[in-house]
Amino acid sequence: MTSPVLPSHGRVRPLGLAQVSLTGGFWGERQAVNAAQTLAHCETWMERLGWLANFDRVADGTTGPDRPGWSFSDSEVYKLLEALSWEVARSGDAEAEAAIKRLTARVARAQDQDGYLNTCFGHGDQPPRYSDLEMGHELYNTGHLLQAAVARLRTAGEDDLVRVARRAADHVCRTFGPGGTAAICGHPEIEVGMAEFGRATGEQRYVEQARLFLDRRGHGTLRDIPLGRAYFQDDVPIREADVWRGHAVRALYLAAAAVDVAVELGDDDLLRAIERQWERTVARRTYVTGGMGSRHQDEGFGEDWELPPDRAYCETCAGVASIMVSWRLYLATGDVRYADLIERTLYNVVAVSPSTDGRAFFYANPLHQRVAGRPADQDEVSPRAEAGVRAPWFDVSCCPTNVARTLAGLHGYLATTDDDGLQIHQYASCSVRAELPGGQPVAVDVETAYPQAGTVRVRIAADADTPWTLTLRVPAWADGATLTEGGQTRPVRPGPAQVRRAFRAGEEIVLELPMQPRLTWPDPRIDAVRGCVAVERGPEVLCVESNDLPSPDLLESLVLDPGSAPRAAEGAVLVRGRALDLADRPWAYPAGPLDEQGDDDWFDVPLRPYHGWARRGPSSMRIFVPVAPQERTGA
Ligand SMILES: [Zn+2]
């Protein structure tokens, strides 16, 4: 079976990537651009910056402490190898296959006799191996190597990449296993890599090694740093924590690994702990976009309700990592709330990042951009994560390869099976050809223009001998959805909607999701957006962009009339709004409340999907807009 995550058991089972294919539409187009542009783009940049040559220099004995790239640049090569592996399995692309062989050969040459593989430590006069576990990322890199090898093993079988990964994994187990050094890596990732490598190879000792790393964490195992041990989740044991904190990507990769280990070892307490952390984090520390992480200084979660829109970090990688956690929780429990968050995060974090041509990316995903960015030089590395424009590559360039590997295997997140039938979670034009355990074929073709339109047509493609259940996820926002089957239309509530019978080929089940735009009100404890509303349509969060306003400055003084229903128009959603007349003052804190006079010129404010922002050139932008002072909205 080919899939990034294959638990040995769980409430539902993922489909293999060969059993599902995207056939166009929103995600099909993005996956095609990823294949045609992004994969080669990533390799070109890593070559250009010497991140690939780092492997050659280790092999040739010419490397040193001056090597280019951060200590985690090796991981970008591995994430690209993972993306290429999923792509080859999907399309059989010969260029992607050649790239895998090319990159693998260079990586393999850099591996030491004992299996150690890293270009930043342990060679020439570089710092010794494992001399900076807090910030050195050695095991983090190895974790990504293991995930790449899992992709290769499941799609092409044992090859050089898999053999390199085995030797690296064995080296880690010898060094950090029972009786070895009782240490952990500052950036979790080895855990999720080890757990899946254990599943893919059938060798439980790798899963046990992941458990060891998990259990050592949270006891002050790492040295304290100025950001505090919460930064790398070494402050509280994972079973005792009740919320995610510290560096968001670290917290989420760790949680993903914990679900894997909990499932493989039957550790229900650990699974409950991650569910509990998910619940509180989603309720209090997550943006309306699904984005996670508000603090820039440590790329981390803030306190509960600390969700400023303009200082939202919402790293693209944290979106990818959040999907990794929710997908694992979904497979374990079958609870559709996890699929709901995956959908929100896919459309409003992952889809935001890549440019339309797949050759530039957002790293941070703020919900409010006060000053338009400057056009990015497509030939320059962006030194900063926050620029207001998509950049071709970054000094720290974790996000492009994370987008690449996610999009390359995205069809694996659309549907699952259990003993009784097929569950479809994410709506995209696709075809599914699967089998239930008894051999019953479940084959469907899905046609939809979602999220542009809310009609999802599921056509049965194979006769059934016995009844099976088709389950369609009705998203939490979809009040008023209907399901039509056998000529009957009935309302369906948010949650799983089911149809069970012995289906005949050609039958059609139609889910109609309500796509009228809606206002969304934030919890007043999120002080930074108190008194504001957001507008959503289907799974998409919308935003106002300066280049859609009569004057760009209007974005600062804009208010919306919460009493007027947003309505869909050509290419945009319109909400009644106007500008407040806010004079500049020498001091922004007058003695009494301002009498916010607005001109009475109400106009239709256009809002568009947030994932499309800054695609028509740099702009300022906001998702949350203040509501007009109540007494003046009536008119
Ligand atoms: Zn990133």
Side-chain angles (χ1 to χ4, degrees):
M1 263 276 266
T2 64
S3 174
V5 189
L6 275 183
S8 60
H9 57 279
R11 171 63 190 81
V12 294
R13 288 182 293 273
L15 294 176
L17 296 186
Q19 297 176 304
V20 197
S21 53
L22 282 162
T23 53
F26 188 97
W27 292 111
E29 286 162 19
R30 280 158 179 79
Q31 190 174 59
V33 169
N34 186 58
Q37 299 292 336
T38 305
L39 300 178
H41 174 85
C42 291
E43 186 183 350
T44 301
W45 273 99
M46 287 190 248
E47 189 74 274
R48 177 173 161 178
L49 295 175
W51 298 1
L52 281 165
N54 281 337
F55 290 93
D56 309 337
R57 291 178 67 199
V58 168
D60 299 343
T62 57
T63 194
D66 60 336
R67 80 187 247 303
W70 291 88
S71 61
F72 39 83
S73 66
D74 294 359
S75 73
E76 307 312 337
V77 180
Y78 303 146
K79 282 190 303 199
L80 175 59
L81 276 164
E82 183 187 340
L84 287 163
S85 298
W86 301 134
E87 177 53 29
V88 168
R90 185 184 76 85
S91 65
D93 185 74
E95 276 182 42
E97 176 65 27
I100 293 173
K101 296 224 162 65
R102 190 160 66 226
L103 296 176
T104 297
R106 293 171 81 174
V107 167
R109 282 186 67 224
Q111 188 165 37
D112 293 349
Q113 282 298 325
D114 64 354
Y116 179 81
L117 176 54
N118 189 284
T119 69
C120 193
F121 290 86
H123 302 99
D125 46 4
Q126 289 177 338
R129 293 176 180 184
Y130 306 119
S131 55
D132 182 9
L133 284 165
E134 286 72 23
M135 305 307 280
H137 291 84
E138 281 161 285
L139 291 166
Y140 165 87
N141 285 317
T142 307
H144 278 300
L145 170 65
L146 297 181
Q147 286 187 312
V150 165
R152 195 60 178 160
L153 182 56
R154 287 184 179 152
T155 55
E158 190 94 16
D159 75 345
D160 284 346
L161 181 64
V162 178
R163 283 186 281 273
V164 165
R166 269 185 201 280
R167 296 175 60 214
D170 291 344
H171 162 77
V172 170
C173 291
R174 280 195 307 275
T175 311
F176 297 98
T181 312
I184 57 173
C185 181
H187 199 315
E189 165 63 24
I190 186 69
E191 300 84 354
V192 74
M194 272 286 176
E196 202 65 40
F197 197 62
R199 287 166 168 167
T201 57
E203 295 202 38
Q204 187 77 357
R205 65 199 176 93
Y206 297 130
V207 179
E208 286 291 343
Q209 183 63 46
R211 183 189 60 78
L212 259 185
F213 281 133
L214 283 171
D215 284 348
R216 285 176 191 160
R217 207 171 203 94
H219 300 282
T221 304
L222 296 163
R223 276 193 304 263
D224 205 359
I225 57 168
L227 291 167
R229 286 204 177 92
Y231 174 72
F232 31 48
Q233 296 77 43
D234 194 27
D235 55 337
V236 181
I238 192 161
R239 291 159 196 282
E240 293 169 26
D242 56 8
V243 72
W244 293 328
R245 68 236 170 270
H247 188 278
V249 177
R250 291 171 200 244
L252 292 161
Y253 282 178
L254 186 70
V259 178
D260 290 337
V261 167
V263 167
E264 291 314 306
L265 302 182
D267 189 338
D268 288 344
D269 287 346
L270 182 56
L271 185 62
R272 291 289 96 73
I274 304 303
E275 286 189 282
R276 188 175 72 230
Q277 292 159 25
W278 185 96
E279 282 165 12
R280 175 152 162 204
T281 304
V282 170
R284 298 172 179 226
R285 297 187 177 189
T286 302
Y287 285 96
V288 68
T289 54
M292 293 187 180
S294 54
R295 290 190 180 170
H296 288 226
Q297 69 162 10
D298 61 349
E299 305 185 296
F301 288 100
E303 300 294 343
D304 289 355
W305 316 116
E306 186 188 324
L307 295 165
D310 45 358
R311 297 301 289 163
Y313 198 66
C314 293
E315 183 180 340
T316 301
C317 287
V320 168
S322 162
I323 290 169
M324 286 168 58
V325 179
S326 285
W327 179 240
R328 284 160 173 78
L329 286 171
Y330 180 74
L331 295 176
T333 66
D335 190 332
V336 293
R337 63 185 178 166
Y338 300 120
D340 279 342
L341 185 67
I342 289 174
E343 172 172 74
R344 182 171 290 278
T345 310
L346 279 173
Y347 282 102
N348 303 296
V349 180
V350 173
V352 190
S353 177
S355 63
T356 308
D357 71 359
R359 302 170 66 84
F361 306 86
F362 274 139
Y363 185 119
N365 295 285
L367 284 73
H368 184 174
Q369 181 75 28
R370 290 182 182 272
V371 179
R374 291 216 312 276
D377 185 337
Q378 295 306 308
D379 210 32
E380 285 289 324
V381 173
S382 173
R384 289 178 306 120
E386 341 149 30
V389 289
R390 293 171 181 84
W393 203 250
F394 300 91
D395 180 35
V396 171
S397 215
C398 44
C399 299
T401 50
N402 240 341
V403 168
R405 66 178 182 146
T406 304
L407 289 179
L410 193 73
H411 44 306
Y413 295 92
L414 304 182
T416 53
T417 56
D418 61 10
D419 290 349
D420 188 49
L422 175 74
Q423 304 85 38
I424 302 180
H425 318 295
Q426 308 301 340
Y427 298 117
S429 289
C430 67
S431 95
V432 177
R433 298 289 182 271
E435 238 181 39
L436 299 184
Q440 170 70 58
V442 286
V444 303
D445 294 309
V446 180
E447 268 180 44
T448 181
Y450 192 77
Q452 194 56 43
T455 305
V456 180
R457 291 177 189 282
V458 182
R459 191 169 301 118
I460 304 295
D463 288 337
D465 302 327
T466 53
W468 59 272
T469 304
L470 173 69
T471 304
L472 302 176
R473 178 182 62 94
V474 180
W477 49 263
D479 274 326
T482 61
L483 190 80
T484 302
E485 43 130 355
Q488 301 287 316
T489 298
R490 59 181 163 103
V492 283
R493 293 155 54 87
Q498 300 189 318
V499 183
R500 178 178 171 79
R501 64 166 167 270
F503 290 101
R504 311 309 300 170
E507 273 189 69
E508 204 170 70
I509 295 95
V510 181
L511 178 66
E512 200 69 57
L513 297 170
M515 301 303 280
Q516 54 272 37
R518 60 193 190 275
L519 293 180
T520 299
W521 299 77
D523 187 295
R525 286 170 288 187
I526 308 171
D527 301 85
V529 289
R530 192 192 295 239
C532 295
V533 286
V535 185
E536 297 180 86
R537 179 179 176 276
E540 296 172 315
V541 175
L542 309 184
C543 69
V544 186
E545 265 187 283
S546 54
N547 48 17
D548 280 324
L549 298 175
S551 144
D553 296 343
L554 221 57
L555 194 71
E556 290 174 357
S557 54
L558 194 66
V559 291
L560 296 182
D561 172 8
S564 78
R567 61 183 205 282
E570 191 66 29
V573 166
L574 303 178
V575 182
R576 190 168 175 261
R578 64 183 171 127
L580 294 181
D581 185 13
L582 299 172
D584 283 330
R585 298 175 183 81
W587 182 238
Y589 307 92
L594 283 177
D595 181 20
E596 299 158 323
Q597 293 298 329
D599 54 47
D600 279 335
D601 294 339
W602 292 91
F603 67 103
D604 285 330
V605 179
L607 295 102
R608 299 177 197 273
Y610 171 63
H611 60 69
W613 93 273
R615 291 190 196 278
R616 296 170 292 160
S619 65
S620 52
M621 170 280 301
R622 64 191 304 164
I623 287 174
F624 283 102
V625 182
V627 299
Q630 207 61 43
E631 65 274 21
R632 291 196 291 269
T633 56

